[in-house]
Amino acid sequence: MSPRTKNWLTTYVVSALIFAVLDVAWILLVANPLYQSQIGHLLAPRTNLPGAVLFYVIFVAGMVHYGVRPNSPGLALRQRVTGAALFGFFTYATWALTGFAVLRDFTALVAVTDILWGAAACSVVTWVSASVLRRRLARVAAA
């Protein structure tokens, strides 16, 4: 495995773990109560586990690619966090505004909350990941 690939995969694992902890807390403390009160009748009785896992696998890859950017050693932390915030904003806005546009009872409160969460979560995960992996991100071994 090339050093660049190993660097990317290490960053992916670290970011995935951080995002998992953060998102579980968000879901339990904010999203579930909000969704139940606003759009509870639209929710499935159980989470579709394969769909959820696929979302996390793909989403974290995007966050690492557009936010943390492990193979860009000269990138400032501010640039990494800004890229992540934009990635989170656009991806969560896609979901939330589509739901708001096509689902009869999808509320503006849920849409706005989700969009803000996407930008904030990606920013925090990128900031923490980049801080934890600071030395690794400062150098990229030649492939």
Side-chain angles (χ1 to χ4, degrees):
M1 178 180 316
S2 78
R4 290 177 62 84
T5 301
K6 185 176 179 182
N7 196 39
W8 197 94
L9 289 173
T10 300
T11 303
Y12 181 92
V13 169
V14 168
S15 298
L17 291 172
I18 294 166
F19 186 58
V21 169
L22 190 64
D23 208 42
V24 165
W26 166 260
I27 289 168
L28 293 175
L29 299 174
V30 178
N32 274 347
L34 176 67
Y35 274 38
Q36 286 299 329
S37 73
Q38 297 289 308
I39 57 171
H41 61 287
L42 297 176
L43 299 177
R46 283 184 304 231
T47 301
N48 178 323
L49 193 56
V53 169
L54 191 56
F55 163 77
Y56 282 105
V57 167
I58 293 169
F59 189 77
V60 171
M63 192 173 10
V64 169
H65 180 78
Y66 292 106
V68 185
R69 294 183 255 185
N71 291 318
S72 299
L75 212 54
L77 181 59
R78 179 183 49 78
Q79 292 170 296
R80 295 173 198 275
V81 171
T82 299
L86 290 171
F87 174 76
F89 174 85
F90 289 122
T91 54
Y92 272 70
T94 300
W95 143 251
L97 295 176
T98 299
F100 188 60
V102 303
L103 297 175
R104 179 183 348 203
D105 297 326
F106 200 93
T107 67
L109 177 63
V110 170
V112 170
T113 302
D114 274 358
I115 293 167
L116 294 174
W117 170 247
C122 287
S123 297
V124 169
V125 170
T126 295
W127 176 69
V128 173
S129 296
S131 297
V132 167
L133 298 167
R134 182 177 57 251
R135 286 188 198 102
R136 180 180 283 276
L137 297 176
R139 57 169 165 48
V140 178

